[in-house]
Amino acid sequence: MSEPIFIIGPGKSGTSFIYNVLKSSGIYMGILKESNYYLSYPARAKSNYLSEYQEQRIIDISNTYFYNPQIATRLKQDFPNAIIISIKRPPVERIISHYLYMLSRGDAFEPFNEYILTNPALFLSIKHEVFSEIWSRIFNKNYIELEFEHINKNDYIREIFSKLEIQVKGDHKEIERYETQAVKNGKFKSIVLKIGSNFLRRWFPKLFQHVKQSSLQKLFFRTGATRVNKQKISKEIREFFNQYEK
């Protein structure tokens, strides 16, 4: 079996695109896109993890691993020759993308300067080079860092993975069609949920208020913050970090 590949993120750096590239090429990607298996504590058995792949090559995209040096150590112990892939995206761009994504899901409602107070881990993005150095030191030549601005170029991805004995099929347009369909499916689900929430509001107002205050709130109301001024928000976040750097 070829050496396992772990694509460790960080999030909002193109890991979903790479996942779609590989999956549309007929490559087995595990049961879940982001298994996050090694986030568990106490540690789960390696044998359970291997059983997911049924003797197929491990290609695991878990974009939460990048900022966790302890996971780097655990992966090195379990898979000494593993290939580690991370993606370098300008930190503030990544944070803007993350925040806009959370707004679109309805998982963030407050202004960014308030949101980051309850999500201080976002500051880790500014220290990308520090974490990259940790992974590089542990895995040496088996650590590969991709450039975000190049990952959607056919030849770049094809060349990277061909060196890892992975045949990438199709082209960028095919991947775009694959992702466009996923977006359409997501929009359809959002419309259904929106209709459901409006139905509850009109015909069952008491139940509506109960759902809104319960753990089901995100399920029915996550479409509520999709309309945002992206340019204005991007400018505000850049100004925030400019002040932070000073």
Side-chain angles (χ1 to χ4, degrees):
M1 184 191 305
S2 299
E3 296 301 338
I5 298 173
F6 294 92
I7 302 172
I8 59 173
K12 310 314 295 178
S13 293
T15 53
S16 292
F17 176 78
I18 291 178
Y19 175 83
N20 289 333
V21 167
L22 298 178
K23 193 170 179 94
S24 66
S25 296
I27 297 166
Y28 183 71
M29 300 294 293
I31 297 173
L32 300 174
K33 173 187 171 245
E34 298 173 12
S35 73
N36 294 318
Y37 188 88
Y38 279 83
L39 280 179
S40 62
Y41 185 84
R44 290 184 284 179
K46 176 184 174 182
S47 58
N48 292 340
Y49 180 72
L50 292 175
S51 66
E52 272 192 32
Y53 289 87
Q54 302 173 352
E55 298 186 357
Q56 297 187 69
R57 185 176 190 178
I58 294 172
I59 304 178
D60 185 339
I61 296 181
S62 292
N63 61 26
T64 54
Y65 288 176
F66 183 75
Y67 295 116
N68 195 324
Q70 291 182 333
I71 290 179
T73 302
R74 288 180 59 190
L75 288 178
K76 186 65 175 179
Q77 291 173 346
D78 283 358
F79 305 98
N81 299 313
I83 306 296
I84 306 296
I85 297 177
S86 74
I87 305 167
K88 184 177 182 180
R89 183 179 187 181
V92 176
E93 282 187 19
R94 196 190 80 79
I95 292 171
I96 290 171
S97 178
H98 168 87
Y99 181 60
L100 290 174
Y101 174 71
M102 298 305 283
L103 287 174
S104 71
R105 284 169 52 93
D107 288 336
F109 300 94
E110 61 271 56
F112 180 77
N113 60 347
E114 295 178 14
Y115 176 78
I116 199 168
L117 294 177
T118 55
N119 295 272
L122 283 177
F123 278 107
L124 293 177
S125 295
I126 305 300
K127 304 296 183 183
H128 180 96
E129 299 296 339
V130 173
F131 291 94
S132 180
E133 172 62 26
I134 292 172
W135 285 90
S136 177
R137 189 168 61 247
I138 293 174
F139 285 92
N140 300 309
K141 293 181 179 180
N142 281 11
Y143 176 72
I144 301 170
E145 187 169 75
L146 307 184
E147 296 290 339
F148 174 76
E149 60 265 30
H150 297 318
I151 64 169
N152 65 348
K153 297 177 181 177
N154 296 324
D155 293 340
Y156 183 72
I157 287 293
R158 195 171 286 119
E159 181 180 346
I160 292 293
F161 283 98
S162 66
K163 292 178 180 178
L164 302 176
E165 301 176 358
I166 294 175
Q167 182 78 25
V168 173
K169 302 175 183 177
D171 55 29
H172 185 48
K173 289 184 179 180
E174 290 183 12
I175 303 305
E176 282 184 339
R177 286 194 290 270
Y178 187 90
E179 291 193 316
T180 298
Q181 187 58 49
V183 170
K184 286 181 179 178
N185 292 341
K187 286 183 177 179
F188 176 75
K189 291 178 183 178
S190 295
I191 291 171
V192 171
L193 291 175
K194 195 69 174 179
I195 292 173
S197 65
N198 288 335
F199 178 80
L200 284 178
R201 182 188 291 112
R202 177 163 184 165
W203 298 105
F204 302 96
K206 290 185 178 180
L207 179 59
F208 173 82
Q209 290 300 324
H210 175 71
V211 171
K212 197 170 183 179
Q213 295 170 10
S214 74
S215 58
L216 296 175
Q217 189 264 352
K218 286 182 181 178
L219 175 63
F220 279 93
F221 305 101
R222 69 187 334 170
T223 58
T226 53
R227 295 182 180 178
V228 297
N229 186 328
K230 293 183 179 181
Q231 289 185 337
K232 181 181 178 182
I233 288 174
S234 298
K235 181 181 178 182
E236 290 173 351
I237 294 177
R238 292 184 191 282
E239 290 176 349
F240 176 89
F241 281 100
N242 286 336
Q243 293 176 353
Y244 171 72
E245 288 176 357
K246 293 177 181 178

